Each structure stands twice: as structure tokens, then as C-alpha cells.
Amino acid sequence: MFYLNNREEEFQEKLTVTKLIELKKYTYKKKIVKINDEFINPDEYSTTFIEDGDDVKILHLLAGG
Amino acid sequence: MKILKEYKYDFTEIIHGYNNRSLKINLSDMKIESKQISEEMKQKFVGGKGFGLRYLWDAVTPETKWNSPENEIVISSGPVGGITQYPGSGKSIVVTLTPLNDTPMDSNVGGHFGPLLKFSGWDALELQGKADKEVIVYIDGNEGIIKIMESNIETIDSHILSEELTEMFAKDETDKRNYSIVSTGSAARYSNVAMLNFTFYDVKRKKVRLKQAGRGGIGRVFNDKGIKALVIKYEGVKSDLNNPANISKINRAGIRFHKEMNRYDDEQNGMRKIGTANIVEVMNDYDLLPTHNFKFGSHKDIAKIESKVFIEKYITQNIYDGCWHGCSMSCAKAADDFKIKTGPYAGHKVIVDGPEYENAAALGSNIGVFCPETILELNFYCDTYGIDTISFGTMVAFAMECYENKVFTKEDTGLDLSFGNIDSALELIHQIADGRGFGKIVGMGIKFMKKYFIENFDADPKFMFDIGMEQKGLEFSEYMPKESLAQQGGYGLTNKGPQHDEAWLIFMDMVNNQIPTFEDKAEALHYFPMFRTWFGLVGLCKLPWNDVTPHSNKYSKEPAKMPEHVQNYVDIYNGVTGKNVKIDDMIEESERVYNFQRIFNIRMGYGKRTNDKIPYRSMGPVTIEEYLSREDRYDKQLKEIVGYNLTNKSTEEKMAVLREYRESQYEKLTDAVYKRRGWSKDGVPTIEKLKELGMDLPELVDIVSRHL
């Protein structure tokens, strides 16, 4: 199990940030990714794996027009 | 044209963003007067929407209706409006009593009129009374002359009327950039959702462009007053006309922003390519795109109307599209030489201002249309007929759902109003403009339609309330609030009705889960409506605040607030006015006006808890097909949060329990928000709150005392 935006998610082996974003259909471009309070840069999404117990935050920065 | 009244005035210097006077024109007796603006007025109401509400309060009584002569249309920019160093600085706010329910309506609009009005010597324009004959009001800000002229122009629709007037008044091509026209269109004669078009002259295209004060039927009031158009001229716009207290502060903020826009826009929202329509497919991906009258949040045919279709095939690229000078966000996109297929302009090649996101959703997915050319054609006709695109889409979607539920038939209306019927959608818009057929009913708005369908078609009142997406008479704008309690509050706990310009919290709430408790949501429903109200007080557009993100933002404790941009606004506000405010002071300025508007609503009989209820369609599934479309989500919520045993339960039983739960959540949210805003359980601002804000004015205390 890991947490995504403080909600429980089932842990999957070899789940990268890129794959998680795809699974969740998080297509909006303006977002911040943090794992256990560490920023993940976009060029590291495909090589960063989510571990069991991780606290993942994917914060979308849209506040409407 | 015959001049009915002429008024000459002297110029005064603009000091730190203010002329310190406003212009009042009464069209009944043709009286034109200059009014001084006091320091207290500026301190309590700032400008823009604040000035509009104050003047409107003074003009009307609790008995005044939208078409009473004493009702006013007030147009005002604000102290920051008209600067050219920072993007989005050309906004005006228009205020009037709306035909939708006779309460104060405000609508913001780009184009050049507001800044040119200020540079012509006036911080606000009040239009009161009714002209016997149709008139054009002309303000020459260089000569210091105002003329009320009897109109001899037959043209009604805005795209032609504004071209004709620009051509008529400007002395040559170069002079056209100095003009702005305000007009409405054919629909204003009949429709409660008629809007106003404000122009700017597009020097590169050599065409007049239209921006809309869309919400709340202000165009109908304009037409009822006998105004054909407002025409303003001011030659000589430059960056320091506001006589700012510290221009270098403004310059620095502007340079920071322009660099950011240049660096990040292409990789972020692409505002310079497609404007706000960049989020059409994003909303679809997050199940937030209103589809079939807000039943669903996505559709399989989304690829047909996603932003790249408009970018690649229709919207002119690599051209500057700012609706005021200096706007590097440049999001007022347009389709050039678009060929119209139906109606009075069939065969014409026109410029279509848009589509913005709201237009694409309202004129597309929400009515089941996934054809870009139909969206553009409806967009064009909405604009030139003077119809609010958002209300049109939400109204037609409601009518279509009623049709599909056999509330009425084709024999009743002459139209097959199935979702996605393009011919019927186009026929309806022409009928609304002409005040004929079923379009005359639809054009009156959902509040009217609900009553009409109950009385004439024996429609079920409960079903009408559940699926009619209006509140306080205003149609919902185009976001699905069903799975975000905070956004339900963002729509419902508002002053003018469900328009997203007070709060857009869906991502913070539903996706980011940053505001999980009622108190968190209430805090967001305090801060964001107040912060966003401030834009309408000073003359600014909200889009540059959050449609590009600075690099520093990810290190912020509160990234949703965009702290670096907030600091820019603190700097330019202080830079223009010479104040020394901080963000908390700006929030308090907004609170004063926000509470004033709330009490104004109460004064007009419409501003309490009962009026903040929202249709169940905005909270949860009304129909079985809606429930089944998100069955996993709803079942999970019932099981894990409500603690409901789903075994052997029918869908109807589950829907009833879910409804009870969701409606109770909205009530709890309402309690929390009222408490945070300093209001009673019934939504009335308390006297303590008014004292805290310095707004314990006798006329306000008198109203709230009768309701506490």
C-alpha cells in the first residue's frame, strides 16, 4: 500500500511516477510531484519507482478562470 | 444623427489610479452629471464592482425590478485598470439588477471601454432611466464632450453594428484603435440571458473584436433602456496615464511576469495558442466536462473537439491576441474567415472570438455536440445576437434532457431536441434571437422554463428542480461539481449564483485532497472568493494569476494560491495607488464589498440560506443511468464512508441513501462556510462582522437587524 494525496492506493511492483500518472489519467501539465516530501523533477518521472508505504503527492495547479 | 443632449466637461488629472469622479447619465430626462467620489467611497468600495454595487444600491429600492427606470447599469474599471505593464489590466465590471431575479448582477469583461472611460476622465459610468427613442451615447475623452444622439441605425447585431459605428466615428484607419463600442444584439429584445459586447480594435487584423460581459442578462437591461450603443474615444493611451505612485514597482512586476510567460506558456497551458480552451480535454480526463446536462463528466467523442483540433484547423496562430495593451498572456484567440452555414449570415466569412473553454463545453459537450464547426457557429451567433454562451448551453442542455424524458414532444415545440441534434441547437439560437417559437421560452432562462414546463406540460416539479442547473436564476457555468463538495459550495455559496469566478476548488478538493475537512473547505471558500473578488474591484483579469505557474511555486507552502503572483498584485496595487497594503488588507477590502453585496441581495429578497440551495444534479446522481455510470465510486462511498450495507439493495435504494448523505454534507459545509465568513446560520452577515470590517453603515445594519 502507498498513499496518493493522502488516499490509500494498492501497491504495485515497478510502478514508476510516469506509470502512476498514466493510470490516474493525470494529464494536466501543471503539477508538482513529491514522494515523502522530496520533489521529483519531470525528467525523473520515468525512472522513479514508488515503494511500499510511500507518501506520494501529485498536486495539480489549476484554480480556474 | 440628431443630438438630443450635449455636455462638456473639464479634465482633471488622474491621481494614483483615480479621477475621483464618476459620470451619471439619466436617459429619461437626458440629465448628465458629474459626481465626486469621496475618500470614504474609495476606502470602502475601492472601484470596479464595489463602485457599481454602491451606486446601484443608492439608485434602487427593494421594490425595483430589472426594467424599472431607476435600475442602473454601472460600468467601472478600477484603480489599477488601464496600466499596460502587467497582463490582464483592461477589465471592466458591469453591475445591474438582473432580469433573472431582480437582484444585483456583476459581470466582468475585457476590451478597451473601461480603461478608455477612465482616461476620458471618469472612474465609473452610471446609466439610469429609459430613453423614449433609441440612443447612442458618445463620449469623446479628448475633447471632453458627451453626446446623447438619436440612433438612425437599423443594424442590431453586434458584429456588424460595432464595425459600422467604428467606421462612422473614426476619422481614418489609424484612428479606429482609439474607439471602443458597447452593444448587445437581437436577442436582447426577448431573452433574459442577453449580454453586452465590448470592443477593441484589432490593429493587425484591421477588424473590430468582441469581448463579452456575459453573465446575468445585462444586455436585456441595456436594450430596455433604449440604448443602441455606447461609443467612447480616447487617443493617447500610454503606460503612465494612471499617474502611478511608483511606476518602477509596476514595471518590475510586469517584466517578471512577461519573462515567465515567455518561458513557461508553451510547456504549461498554451494560453497564447488556444486560450482557456486548453483545458477541454483535461476536464474530460478528470471526469469534469459537463456532458448531457451535467449528467456525465466525459465523452467518447472528445477527440473531435479537443484543443488541438481548434489550434490546427481553426484558430489563427502566431498573432497577438491581447484584449488590452501589454497583455503577454494574449488569450483572446479567434478563428478568422470562418464561413457561416445557417441563419441570417449564412455564407458570410466572419471572425469568431473564441472558443473559450466555457464556450466549447457549453456549446459542445453539454448539449451533446462534438462538432468544432457547430461550436464555432454557435459561438459566433451567441456573440453577435448578444446571448451568453454559458447560459445558452446550460439552458439548451436542460431543454434537451426534458425532451428526452418526454416532458414535451416534438409536436409541442416543433423541434427534435435530442442531445447532439445540431440542426435543432442552431434553430433554437435563431429562434431566441427572433423571440419566436420554442426559442422564446428557452431564451427566458432555466428558472422560467422550470415554471413554464410545470404549468404547461405537467412536468414533475421535483425532477425540474433536480436537473435544472440554475441557482438564484443564473445558469451554472461549465464544470462538474458533483464529486467535489468544495466546488458545490464554490457554486452555491455565492452572491450572484453559480459562476466559477468566485471559487474553482475542484482540483484542490477532488484531485489533490488538500482540503479534506469542513473547516479546510470553509477556509478555501473564504480566501478564494475574497481574493478573486479583489480582481473585480481594481480592474484586473484573473487569468494571469493562475494560468501560468512560476518556478518558485513548487516550493511554496500553499501552491494553489500562487504566492509569487499574489506578491506581484500587492506590488502593482501599491505601485499605482501609493498604498502600503499586504495581502490580508486586500482580502479585507474584498470582504467589505462581498458582505455589502450579500446584504444587497437580502434587501432585494434573495440572499439567505434558502437561496443558497443547489439542484441535486450538481451534488449527485439524479437518474439511474448516472448512478450506474459511476457505480463503483458511489458504491464505495456508501460502503466505506456512509457505512451502508449494499447487500441485496436496489439502485434506487442506494441512490436514496447517497442523496441523503450528500445533501447533509452540503448543509454541514454551509454551516462551516457561514461561520468562517462571520454570518448567521441563515446566511446573514452579523453586526459584529460588519463592525470588524468597518461596514456597520446604518443602511446595512438596518437590513441585517431585521434578519438576524
Side-chain angles (χ1 to χ4, degrees):
Chain A
M1 185 193 71
F2 69 96
Y3 290 93
L4 173 60
N5 294 343
N6 296 320
R7 295 184 181 109
E8 289 182 7
E9 294 283 334
E10 197 172 327
F11 175 68
Q12 298 176 34
E13 296 286 345
K14 297 182 180 174
L15 180 65
T16 61
V17 171
T18 299
K19 187 67 181 167
L20 177 62
I21 288 171
E22 281 174 16
L23 285 173
K24 290 289 174 185
K25 289 180 76 176
Y26 283 172
T27 54
Y28 187 57
K29 292 177 185 169
K30 288 201 306 161
K31 52 186 177 285
I32 298 167
V33 177
K34 288 199 283 188
I35 299 180
N36 303 325
D37 269 341
E38 294 286 325
F39 287 110
I40 310 297
N41 288 321
D43 58 6
E44 298 168 329
Y45 288 175
S46 62
T47 55
T48 302
F49 291 91
I50 293 161
E51 305 292 339
D52 197 9
D54 273 352
D55 176 17
V56 182
K57 297 275 188 343
I58 303 181
L59 302 181
H60 294 63
L61 302 174
L62 177 63
Chain B
M1 284 182 280
K2 182 181 172 186
I3 296 171
L4 303 173
K5 177 80 177 186
E6 187 168 299
Y7 176 88
K8 293 185 179 176
Y9 63 94
D10 296 325
F11 291 99
T12 56
E13 190 183 14
I14 297 177
I15 301 169
H16 300 172
Y18 289 101
N19 287 284
N20 296 307
R21 68 178 182 183
S22 64
L23 176 64
K24 180 170 181 178
I25 298 175
N26 189 312
L27 296 159
S28 294
D29 59 10
M30 299 287 157
K31 186 179 175 189
I32 301 175
E33 61 179 314
S34 168
K35 293 166 66 173
Q36 284 301 117
I37 293 173
S38 68
E39 287 303 312
E40 186 186 14
M41 174 83 164
K42 290 192 290 182
Q43 189 263 334
K44 292 198 186 309
F45 296 95
V46 183
K49 173 173 160 176
F51 283 3
L53 289 166
R54 176 75 257 188
Y55 285 136
L56 186 62
W57 177 295
D58 293 340
V60 303
T61 72
E63 288 72 43
T64 301
K65 303 299 178 195
W66 70 273
N67 55 356
S68 302
E70 69 267 25
N71 186 21
E72 290 192 347
I73 295 172
V74 189
I75 303 171
S76 177
S77 173
V80 179
I83 66 169
T84 59
Q85 296 92 334
Y86 201 85
S89 305
K91 284 278 186 173
S92 310
I93 290 271
V94 191
V95 173
T96 195
L97 294 186
T98 168
L100 294 166
N101 70 353
D102 303 303
T103 59
M105 175 58 57
D106 60 272
S107 193
N108 78 76
V109 57
H112 288 191
F113 189 89
L116 297 190
L117 178 70
K118 188 205 273 193
F119 299 147
S120 296
W122 308 104
D123 292 333
L125 168 62
E126 288 175 83
L127 296 161
Q128 195 179 41
K130 295 188 187 191
D132 290 339
K133 297 167 184 166
E134 202 168 48
V135 296
I136 289 171
V137 177
Y138 173 59
I139 301 170
D140 186 324
N142 295 107
E143 296 295 326
I145 295 175
I146 298 158
K147 294 176 185 174
I148 303 175
M149 297 179 281
E150 187 178 331
S151 171
N152 59 3
I153 298 172
E154 292 186 2
T155 305
I156 301 176
D157 293 330
S158 274
H159 81 291
I160 299 178
L161 177 62
S162 55
E163 288 275 2
E164 282 180 2
L165 288 170
T166 304
E167 193 70 41
M168 183 185 299
F169 280 87
K171 60 179 183 281
D172 54 34
E173 177 65 28
T174 306
D175 193 31
K176 290 179 181 175
R177 72 189 66 192
N178 304 315
Y179 284 83
S180 181
I181 316 290
V182 179
S183 66
T184 181
S186 298
R189 299 169 296 176
Y190 313 105
S191 172
N192 280 347
V193 301
M195 56 70 173
L196 293 179
N197 285 299
F198 282 49
T199 72
F200 67 97
Y201 190 70
D202 189 325
V203 175
K204 286 189 178 162
R205 288 183 170 90
K206 294 186 168 48
K207 286 178 182 167
V208 172
R209 303 283 305 279
L210 305 176
K211 300 299 291 180
Q212 293 76 35
R215 308 287 359 236
I218 302 173
R220 184 148 206 213
V221 182
F222 191 84
N223 178 77
D224 182 67
K225 291 191 172 299
I227 308 170
K228 176 70 124 186
L230 309 176
V231 180
I232 195 161
K233 179 198 178 182
Y234 181 82
E235 181 180 358
V237 172
K238 52 184 182 164
S239 63
D240 61 353
L241 285 184
N242 272 303
N243 193 8
N246 184 342
I247 199 167
S248 61
K249 267 191 179 179
I250 309 166
N251 290 340
R252 284 196 296 270
I255 290 166
R256 277 197 301 274
F257 189 93
H258 296 321
K259 283 182 179 172
E260 197 180 292
M261 196 66 206
N262 193 43
R263 182 165 177 188
Y264 297 120
D265 183 51
D266 285 346
E267 67 187 60
Q268 294 183 2
N269 285 1
M271 295 293 281
R272 295 174 299 182
K273 287 183 182 157
I274 188 60
T276 58
N278 75 87
I279 61 168
V280 171
E281 56 271 25
V282 175
M283 292 298 104
N284 186 77
D285 287 345
Y286 290 78
D287 207 17
L288 294 168
L289 183 73
T291 303
H292 294 189
N293 194 30
F294 295 85
K295 275 196 277 191
F296 314 114
S298 60
H299 195 277
K300 64 180 175 54
D301 292 333
I302 186 64
K304 294 176 183 173
I305 62 166
E306 64 186 9
S307 60
K308 77 175 182 186
V309 173
F310 290 99
I311 293 171
E312 289 172 1
K313 286 191 178 175
Y314 302 104
I315 302 302
T316 305
Q317 298 295 302
N318 303 313
I319 188 167
Y320 177 69
D321 279 315
C323 73
W324 176 245
H325 303 291
C327 185
S328 51
M329 188 151 266
S330 185
C331 70
K333 307 310 297 179
D336 287 285
D337 297 320
F338 181 77
K339 194 169 180 183
I340 296 297
K341 294 173 187 155
T342 69
Y345 305 111
H348 290 213
K349 284 190 172 178
V350 300
I351 181 168
V352 185
D353 285 272
E356 296 182 36
Y357 163 73
E358 300 286 341
N359 305 355
L363 310 175
S365 59
N366 211 10
I367 60 173
V369 167
F370 292 88
C371 166
E373 296 195 359
T374 303
I375 290 171
L376 285 168
E377 180 142 345
L378 287 170
N379 192 153
F380 164 76
Y381 272 117
C382 275
D383 289 353
T384 198
Y385 285 157
I387 299 170
D388 174 21
T389 53
I390 295 173
S391 282
F392 176 83
T394 303
M395 293 184 315
V396 173
F398 170 67
M400 285 179 161
E401 186 169 358
C402 288
Y403 177 83
E404 292 206 339
N405 281 277
K406 300 186 171 40
V407 171
F408 49 80
T409 65
K410 189 175 177 182
E411 284 65 44
D412 294 318
T413 64
L415 295 169
D416 173 354
L417 282 171
S418 305
F419 281 113
N421 190 319
I422 287 170
D423 292 341
S424 293
L426 286 162
E427 175 59 21
L428 264 182
I429 203 166
H430 301 311
Q431 288 186 1
I432 290 172
D434 295 341
R436 63 182 163 85
F438 190 58
K440 190 169 184 180
I441 306 301
V442 175
M444 295 297 284
I446 290 176
K447 182 171 175 247
F448 178 92
M449 272 193 278
K450 288 194 296 191
K451 187 166 181 284
Y452 185 89
F453 295 166
I454 291 165
E455 290 175 356
N456 291 276
F457 299 134
D458 289 327
D460 174 6
K462 182 171 176 295
F463 187 59
M464 292 294 95
F465 177 76
D466 281 352
I467 69 162
M469 290 293 280
E470 64 87 15
Q471 188 227 41
K472 302 183 178 86
L474 187 70
E475 286 73 26
F476 274 67
S477 69
E478 307 300 325
Y479 299 96
M480 281 278 287
K482 215 177 288 190
E483 309 308 332
S484 167
L485 179 60
Q487 187 56 32
Q488 290 163 29
Y491 272 138
L493 307 175
T494 51
N495 276 327
K496 73 175 177 226
Q499 164 74 353
H500 57 282
D501 63 355
E502 277 201 18
W504 197 96
L505 302 173
I506 302 179
F507 274 6
M508 275 187 86
D509 186 34
M510 185 181 100
V511 182
N512 299 347
N513 195 24
Q514 292 169 293
I515 44 176
T517 68
F518 288 110
E519 288 69 29
D520 294 333
K521 289 175 174 53
E523 183 57 37
L525 284 166
H526 171 71
Y527 176 84
F528 286 100
M530 298 312 149
F531 179 61
R532 295 165 72 110
T533 291
W534 179 82
F535 287 86
L537 304 183
V538 300
L540 290 173
C541 172
K542 288 180 280 294
L543 297 182
W545 161 54
N546 72 357
D547 271 310
V548 67
T549 302
H551 180 69
S552 68
N553 207 56
K554 71 178 185 180
Y555 302 110
S556 161
K557 285 181 184 168
E558 296 182 287
K561 291 183 178 177
M562 299 272 177
E564 186 177 321
H565 288 176
V566 172
Q567 187 57 47
N568 284 348
Y569 290 117
V570 171
D571 288 348
I572 62 175
Y573 188 39
N574 287 335
V576 172
T577 62
K579 293 183 180 183
N580 185 25
V581 299
K582 296 184 170 55
I583 178 61
D584 289 348
D585 304 310
M586 289 152 60
I587 295 295
E588 190 170 306
E589 287 184 342
S590 291
E591 273 195 278
R592 291 190 190 107
V593 175
Y594 197 89
N595 279 275
F596 183 84
Q597 188 171 6
R598 181 76 177 180
I599 298 167
F600 200 163
N601 281 351
I602 295 170
R603 181 189 185 213
M604 303 306 288
Y606 237 95
K608 292 162 74 174
R609 187 170 187 131
T610 189
N611 308 116
D612 285 345
K613 293 188 183 305
I614 49 177
Y616 187 61
R617 172 59 55 76
S618 60
M619 292 186 205
V622 173
T623 62
I624 288 174
E625 68 169 335
E626 279 172 273
Y627 190 97
L628 295 177
S629 74
R630 291 176 166 148
E631 190 173 21
D632 290 348
R633 183 201 302 246
Y634 296 140
D635 280 358
K636 188 176 179 201
Q637 187 171 72
L638 283 171
K639 195 173 159 188
E640 295 180 2
I641 299 176
V642 184
Y644 183 63
N645 183 352
L646 302 173
T647 310
N648 297 325
K649 296 296 190 303
S650 68
T651 303
E652 287 89 340
E653 287 172 309
K654 290 191 285 186
M655 285 170 65
V657 175
L658 185 71
R659 179 170 186 152
E660 188 181 354
Y661 171 71
R662 290 198 169 194
E663 287 180 335
S664 73
Q665 294 291 291
Y666 185 75
E667 292 304 317
K668 287 177 185 170
L669 177 72
T670 302
D671 286 336
V673 172
Y674 285 180
K675 184 179 175 189
R676 177 61 186 89
R677 290 180 182 173
W679 297 353
S680 74
K681 284 265 189 187
D682 203 20
V684 179
T686 62
I687 290 171
E688 293 72 28
K689 183 68 187 178
L690 296 179
K691 283 182 177 169
E692 176 193 318
L693 295 172
M695 288 298 278
D696 51 333
L697 308 173
E699 63 271 34
L700 302 187
V701 171
D702 177 53
I703 301 285
V704 298
S705 298
R706 285 186 262 143
H707 294 274
L708 286 169

